[in-house]
């Protein structure tokens, strides 16, 4: 139906007759001549319909925005001075010989030929039009290139692309599982996988050696933080390796990706940072290293001050007092500081103390702060010295449980970085390593796995598992890029006894473990090789690489934050007949009382 | 952990020290020396543990089948006469310097180091061991190569790999849909897609131009015929093409695949056959052309015979009488013919008449048949001539509704081909084209779409849609290989009015169409390009190419015929708490009365 894509018609074709097909992007009538910009996936071409060619001209007069046209015409150079250097086809135009309307179009719900902010709900409802915008098309195209590049790398390294089930085992505690009632096994349910973790481990037991899969995963949870009920992982697992080899391979893959797809160089090697250091310096296990602000530990200085807000957390084993110097922050207004105080409140911080440095050479006189009166000279001096504060700076303080201080100042650090235009350009990847195995939860009074229960402890820490679990570090690693966790993984437990020990630590009884993970424990008994792997969030990677604001922008048909598809109107009602066949019924009818 | 894969250690490494890791496949103690065959993904290597190396020897004495070992050793040529030409590593052996047990193994539930028929349930329950068998490993590896090759072809042709949702719209009539209750929209359900058909059409409306996806699809139905609740499609759609171009592209893709992966040549071009011809000659729309048997139309001969069983169907517009000549079939025993009669009974045939040709030159005397008495001489002669029957042959007859005759004789043809060793070697692909748009169902007294309701009618047949739907042919095409449908597709309807007309033909009211397919009808209004595509069954393709007996053999973790996973024991029970959150409850508790 065409000899060339619109965007591919260029000066090399001058004098030839070509056929193009696409959408009527823009039309201008000028001096009795109709100019049509015809658009397809590859770009635009300008078509000239002269009144002398009565038949084509008559058709051209009828076309409206987004009509689908097939046009045959001769390629001619544009008249001198009318070239468009923004277009690949900008040096030529097509003199129409035949214009055919392949399909008409109603006026689209939002214009495609101008830059306009369109409400996202409308875009999602008419996604097939939204995706026509060159920006969106390029994002999906780019995503396709990313996946291809990653696959090529892994294929070349001997990884096998193996598919794992989507209809998997439901477990009584899988609170975030999507469930699927079984028709053949009435009263029983499948679950959609949150990840193929156990299947990929079983593939290692099976001797596949190197596995990958670009795989859909599902999580039924609050979608606040730009999450989607279904998302895509690049899932990887290997046998007979240790973390060093795997991490090197993985960062090479990502470097290759950026080099080939973006033509941008990432550092070699990626810097590494322990979890402890990341929390100390950035209050986060996924620090954005583009932001030149750091938390500074001042707990030791605050133990003895006569200010409970500081001395309390400073003296508490689980407390922390930290400072965050903001260069030039002196210029922040009262209102701005109030807003930041509210902001850290989201993370549980009860306040946000600060010192403004008006004149560093003037001693206490040069400082301005509601809390200054509580701090003796030597403490003030030590703070200034340790933070490196200069005239014009401001120093924020966080004092609370360490988890709260880290979350609050960590988030504040990022916000300040953006608000004050301090974010450096470029890509700042790093590996975060030496995660703790467990996290204590005060509310439920038990340990939780920081990664997942299949993560191996460091060999030298195995003895801490039972004696001092909080200090037991794991063989987990996260790849972080510009403050986003790109991927994470670990070396796995490959022996039954150790796996059982970890389950028990997590409050999973042997009985419960057998019911939920019996097949894994069984598999570990039959010659499981040492293995490890990781998973990358493909949506997030594509979002970062395309500079998108949301993962919704790199998905063809995303769902809204309430997990609905505005385009197809899913989820929807089903007939009682269908539910009957599945042996389920609704507890409460829509609109009815309980 | 290793310098080489076991299978990769060969004579080029003689004199070097290598480290390998893998599973203890076989152990022999011979003349005080322990021989270990160590196995990994790439093959076996023979390791020699000499008693002089006391430490290694002591470890080697402890190892049992399927222990996971790391072995360092020196590569030496095998003693003359002890080479094994079946192994890539068969010219060398590894003299162990260090043997380390990385993990032990219980005795596996079935042996891996010998050819043994193992019950499939046991294989599935311990799939991680079953997949260690080199045969299974190779199948998965091969499947990985197939997908890669297909992707490479499509990538090179400018197809974009775009992901579509798994949580999609449930429709009140989706009887085969797996349903997923929504937590956020209580009382509503998602459905898992039977195919991404509508999404890929929307991608064409969006101007993606060329789309593909290797995508999981779901169908909740009887699994008798080697089907799986979840299966994988290579899904393809293109804009601005017509069937000729697309079919050429697709058969080139498949030819490329066979050439690159199997090093086998498929014919160029694939032969094409109309649906009508395929039914006439083979009683099937996916004829296995390797079998040199054909149905022969004899309805016209039977109209006037004094035998209701034949004359009835022969005179009925929807009836058919067909003959199937079996060369050498004269030797079939009474018992065998009875068995075939039972076999065609499965397909609804009420009997299986036949004539044995004992001596073609002897006229009626040379024939043997219970129905001979009903057939006048000229009819008998015409039958013999038309079927080309020879001495020693047998001719079967089918007489019934055409659908029953086709199904029964079509299946009999295939069975005879296999039973009598008539199946030719090699690959016999073909395209079946010119399908009818609709099929009439007597029971429900309505038309059904032979492909799906989005298939376009032939342009020249559009007017038949309302006047004579049974004669209206579609723009659908199926690719068939050795009697298996590899893929199928069509040019789609790209105009709203035509789509609505087809919906109405199928008994879908405008209201129902708006509810179920409103978003598609809407999308067609906004400049939908002419488009078409197809989908290949990847599991089936991999099964054919690996010569497997079932698609279960080319899936890592298949389900049983009752849609259960024996490995993980899915589906399973969930807590009432979980159901409560989803606003559903079981109608009937397991074991309880209704």
């Amino acid at each position: 139906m065409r000899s060339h894509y619109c965007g591919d018609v260029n000066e090399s074709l001058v004098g030839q007759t070509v056929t193009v097909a696409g959408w009527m992007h823009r039309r201008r009538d000028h001096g009795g001549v109709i100019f049509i910009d015809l658009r397809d996936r590859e770009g635009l071409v300008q078509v000239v319909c002269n009144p002398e060619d009565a038949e084509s001209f008559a058709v051209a007069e009828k076309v409206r925005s987004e009509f689908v046209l097939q046009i045959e015409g001769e390629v001619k150079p544009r008249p001198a001075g009318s070239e468009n250097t923004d277009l690949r086809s900008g040096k030529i135009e097509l003199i129409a010989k035949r214009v055919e309307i392949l399909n008409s179009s109603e006026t689209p719900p939002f214009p495609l030929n101008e830059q306009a902010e369109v409400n996202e709900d409308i875009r999602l409802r008419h996604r097939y039009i939204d995706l026509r915008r060159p920006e969106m098309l390029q994002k999906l195209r780019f995503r396709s290139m990313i996946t291809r590049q990653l696959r090529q790398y892994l294929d070349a390294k001997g990884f096998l692309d193996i598919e794992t089930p989507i209809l998997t085992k439901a477990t009584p505690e899988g609170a975030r599982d999507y469930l699927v009632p079984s028709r053949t096994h009435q009263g029983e349910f499948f679950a959609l996988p949150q990840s193929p973790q156990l299947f990929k481990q079983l593939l290692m037991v099976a001797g596949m050696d190197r596995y990958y899969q670009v795989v859909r995963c599902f999580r039924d949870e609050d979608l606040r933080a730009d999450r989607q009920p279904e998302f895509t992982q690049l899932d990887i697992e290997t046998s007979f390796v240790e973390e060093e080899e795997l991490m090197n391979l993985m960062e090479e893959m990502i470097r290759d990706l950026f080099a080939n797809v973006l033509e941008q160089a990432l550092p070699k090697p990626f810097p590494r940072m322990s979890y402890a250091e990341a929390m100390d310096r950035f209050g986060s296990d996924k620090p954005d290293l583009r932001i030149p602000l750091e938390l500074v530990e001042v707990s030791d200085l605050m133990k003895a001050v006569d200010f409970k807000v500081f001395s309390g957390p400073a003296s508490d084993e689980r407390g922390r007092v930290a400072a965050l110097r903001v260069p030039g922050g002196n210029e922040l207004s009262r209102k701005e500081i109030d807003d930041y105080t509210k902001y850290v409140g989201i993370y549980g911080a009860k306040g946000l103390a600060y010192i403004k440095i008006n004149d560093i050479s003037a001693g206490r006189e040069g400082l301005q702060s509601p809390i200054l009166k509580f701090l003796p000279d030597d403490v003030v001096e030590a703070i200034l010295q340790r933070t490196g504060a200069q005239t014009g700076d401001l120093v924020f303080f966080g004092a609370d449980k360490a988890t709260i201080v880290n979350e609050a100042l960590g988030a504040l650090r990022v916000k300040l970085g953006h608000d004050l235009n301090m974010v450096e350009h470029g890509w700042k990847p790093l590996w975060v390593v030496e995660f703790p195995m467990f996290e204590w939860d005060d509310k439920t009074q038990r340990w939780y796995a920081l990664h997942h229960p299949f993560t191996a402890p460091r060999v030298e820490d195995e003895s801490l598992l039972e004696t001092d679990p909080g200090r037991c570090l794991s063989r987990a690693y996260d790849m972080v890029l510009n403050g986003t966790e790109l991927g994470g993984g670990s070396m796995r437990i490959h022996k039954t006894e150790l796996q059982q020990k970890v389950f028990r630590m997590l409050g999973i009884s042997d009985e419960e473990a057998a019911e939920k993970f019996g097949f894994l424990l069984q598999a570990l008994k039959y010659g499981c090789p040492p293995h490890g792997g990781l998973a990358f969030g493909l949506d997030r990677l594509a979002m970062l690489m395309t500079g998108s604001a949301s993962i919704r922008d790199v998905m063809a048909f995303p769902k809204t934050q309430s997990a609905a598809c505005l385009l197809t109107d899913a989820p929807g009602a089903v007939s009682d007949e269908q539910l009957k066949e599945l042996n389920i019924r609704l507890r409460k009818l829509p609109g009815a009382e309980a």
Side-chain angles (χ1 to χ4, degrees), chain A:
Chain A
M1 283 200 189
R2 71 181 153 218
S3 63
H4 296 80
Y5 278 113
C6 296
D8 290 346
V9 181
N10 62 24
E11 53 277 21
S12 73
L13 298 167
V14 164
Q16 293 185 33
T17 294
V18 301
T19 306
V20 290
W23 286 264
M24 209 293 274
H25 189 65
R26 200 181 282 114
R27 177 184 142 177
R28 280 159 298 137
D29 298 33
H30 186 68
V33 173
I34 297 176
F35 293 89
I36 289 174
D37 283 348
L38 196 69
R39 186 192 70 235
D40 66 14
R41 194 178 86 178
E42 303 300 323
L44 296 173
V45 65
Q46 175 169 300
V47 180
V48 182
C49 301
N50 290 309
E52 292 80 59
D53 187 337
E55 205 174 328
S56 310
F57 193 82
V59 179
E61 277 191 304
K62 280 188 275 182
V63 306
R64 300 282 172 270
S65 276
E66 301 305 312
F67 272 39
V68 184
L69 309 178
Q70 185 189 40
I71 298 179
E72 197 184 330
E74 194 188 334
V75 182
K76 289 214 169 156
R78 292 202 192 184
S82 68
E83 293 95 346
N84 181 345
T85 51
D86 289 345
L87 291 183
R88 279 196 295 142
S89 67
K91 290 190 179 156
I92 56 90
E93 57 193 14
L94 206 59
I95 311 301
K97 291 182 182 174
R98 189 175 59 79
V99 179
E100 191 177 330
I101 296 176
L102 297 177
N103 212 346
S104 61
S105 172
E106 294 187 1
T107 306
F110 46 89
L112 289 165
N113 50 11
E114 49 193 77
Q115 290 292 347
E117 257 325 296
V118 182
N119 173 288
E120 196 185 14
D121 277 6
I122 295 178
R123 287 175 47 203
L124 292 178
R125 186 160 290 129
H126 301 274
R127 190 62 160 181
Y128 44 87
I129 295 177
D130 187 35
L131 292 178
R132 279 188 200 160
R133 295 189 298 133
E135 181 195 340
M136 292 304 290
L137 195 152
Q138 289 314 330
K139 283 182 202 284
L140 290 193
R141 189 167 191 164
F142 204 87
R143 179 178 176 139
S144 179
M145 286 166 65
I146 291 172
T147 326
R148 185 195 319 175
Q149 182 66 37
L150 292 170
R151 288 181 180 282
Q152 281 175 0
Y153 178 88
L154 291 165
D155 288 341
K157 298 286 182 189
F159 285 81
L160 303 181
D161 178 3
I162 300 175
E163 296 187 63
T164 55
I166 296 284
L167 294 171
T168 60
K169 185 181 172 68
T171 56
E173 262 188 20
R176 295 159 154 194
D177 283 347
Y178 276 102
L179 295 182
V180 183
S182 160
R183 187 194 312 265
T184 23
H185 303 268
Q186 299 235 327
E188 299 193 327
F189 292 79
F190 292 104
L192 305 182
Q194 295 184 29
S195 98
Q197 181 64 33
L198 295 182
F199 287 110
K200 68 177 175 173
Q201 290 194 234
L202 293 178
L203 287 174
M204 295 303 103
V205 180
M208 295 297 147
D209 205 75
R210 296 188 151 199
Y211 144 94
Y212 83 94
Q213 189 183 189
V214 176
V215 61
R216 202 69 57 81
C217 302
F218 304 84
R219 208 171 295 162
D220 190 2
E221 63 182 349
D222 278 348
L223 300 173
R224 284 160 301 167
D226 194 21
R227 287 195 177 140
Q228 285 280 317
E230 44 181 317
F231 53 97
T232 304
Q233 277 186 2
L234 172 61
D235 197 47
I236 290 169
E237 198 80 6
T238 58
S239 296
F240 299 115
V241 294
E242 299 201 311
E243 38 273 70
E244 198 58 32
E245 186 182 341
L246 186 60
M247 288 163 76
N248 287 337
L249 202 64
M250 292 297 104
E251 61 172 80
E252 184 187 308
M253 176 179 79
I254 297 296
R255 260 194 309 273
D256 261 31
L257 175 68
F258 277 70
N260 285 311
V261 174
L262 286 182
E263 295 181 5
Q264 290 180 10
L266 297 187
K268 179 176 180 178
F270 291 0
R272 297 193 187 178
M273 190 181 290
S274 73
Y275 174 87
E277 184 183 345
M279 295 310 273
D280 267 8
R281 292 175 54 194
F282 307 104
S284 166
D285 59 358
K286 37 180 187 283
D288 188 341
L289 297 186
R290 296 172 306 166
I291 297 169
L293 301 176
E294 289 197 20
L295 276 62
V296 174
E297 188 62 52
V298 292
S299 297
D300 55 321
L301 302 177
M302 300 302 190
K303 277 191 177 137
V305 300
D306 191 17
F307 182 42
K308 262 271 164 14
V309 173
F310 280 9
S311 62
S315 310
D316 182 349
E317 199 192 334
R318 296 222 176 119
R320 182 178 188 190
V321 187
L324 180 69
R325 177 172 76 91
V326 186
N330 205 355
E331 296 188 0
L332 291 175
S333 68
R334 184 62 241 174
K335 164 84 169 67
E336 286 169 315
I337 292 175
D338 281 353
D339 286 347
Y340 287 125
T341 309
K342 270 182 217 148
Y343 181 71
V344 296
I346 300 171
Y347 300 92
K350 289 181 284 289
L352 182 62
Y354 66 90
I355 300 178
K356 280 187 168 182
I357 292 97
N358 294 329
D359 180 358
I360 191 77
S361 61
R364 287 185 89 93
E365 297 308 301
L367 306 178
Q368 177 191 338
S369 165
I371 60 159
L372 202 59
K373 54 184 179 241
F374 302 119
L375 307 177
D377 283 353
D378 58 332
V379 168
V380 170
E381 199 139 316
I383 290 169
L384 295 178
Q385 201 166 9
R386 211 178 270 185
T387 58
Q390 303 295 326
T391 298
D393 291 356
L394 177 147
V395 178
F396 281 121
F397 293 89
D400 209 312
K401 279 187 199 151
T403 51
I404 291 178
V405 170
N406 289 339
E407 274 203 54
L409 288 194
L412 179 63
R413 174 183 168 270
V414 173
K415 186 159 175 54
L416 283 165
H418 284 93
D419 289 354
L420 305 179
N421 280 316
M422 293 170 121
V423 185
E424 290 165 15
H425 274 284
W427 302 107
K428 296 271 191 179
L430 83 155
W431 285 106
V432 178
V433 294
E434 292 172 22
F435 284 84
M437 280 287 283
F438 307 108
E439 221 172 13
W440 178 258
D441 182 60
D442 271 342
K443 229 182 350 198
T444 51
Q445 288 285 309
R446 46 161 281 202
W447 294 103
Y448 284 85
L450 203 76
H451 269 74
H452 55 55
F454 318 108
T455 300
R458 294 203 303 183
V459 178
E460 61 269 40
D461 288 0
E462 270 187 40
S463 62
L464 293 173
L465 265 183
E466 278 152 317
T467 58
D468 193 354
R471 279 185 49 227
C472 180
L473 298 184
S474 76
R475 299 177 70 180
Y477 32 78
D478 276 1
M479 188 190 284
V480 175
L481 180 66
N482 292 4
T484 296
E485 183 194 323
L486 274 194
S490 62
M491 291 296 125
R492 324 298 185 187
I493 296 170
H494 67 283
K495 298 201 178 185
T496 318
E497 309 72 47
L498 185 58
Q499 185 64 71
Q500 262 165 335
K501 211 182 272 182
V502 169
F503 280 154
R504 281 179 212 131
M505 268 300 309
L506 296 169
I508 303 174
S509 71
D510 287 6
E511 197 186 11
E512 194 184 344
E515 195 197 323
K516 283 187 185 176
F517 307 115
F519 58 100
L520 174 73
L521 291 170
Q522 188 80 354
L524 296 184
K525 286 183 188 156
Y526 288 109
C528 173
H531 65 286
L534 75 182
F536 289 90
L538 202 65
D539 310 296
R540 216 156 285 279
L541 180 62
M543 178 188 85
L544 276 181
M545 292 182 75
T546 56
S548 302
S550 158
I551 57 170
R552 292 189 296 281
D553 279 350
V554 292
M555 304 176 85
F557 302 105
K559 296 196 172 55
T560 62
Q561 301 212 333
S562 74
C565 173
L566 297 179
L567 170 65
T568 60
D569 203 20
V574 299
S575 69
D576 195 54
E577 203 44 53
Q578 281 168 287
L579 297 185
K580 214 178 245 169
E581 277 196 32
L582 300 172
N583 186 30
I584 59 174
R585 66 157 58 94
L586 300 183
R587 280 175 190 256
K588 205 164 82 174
L589 293 175
E593 290 297 305

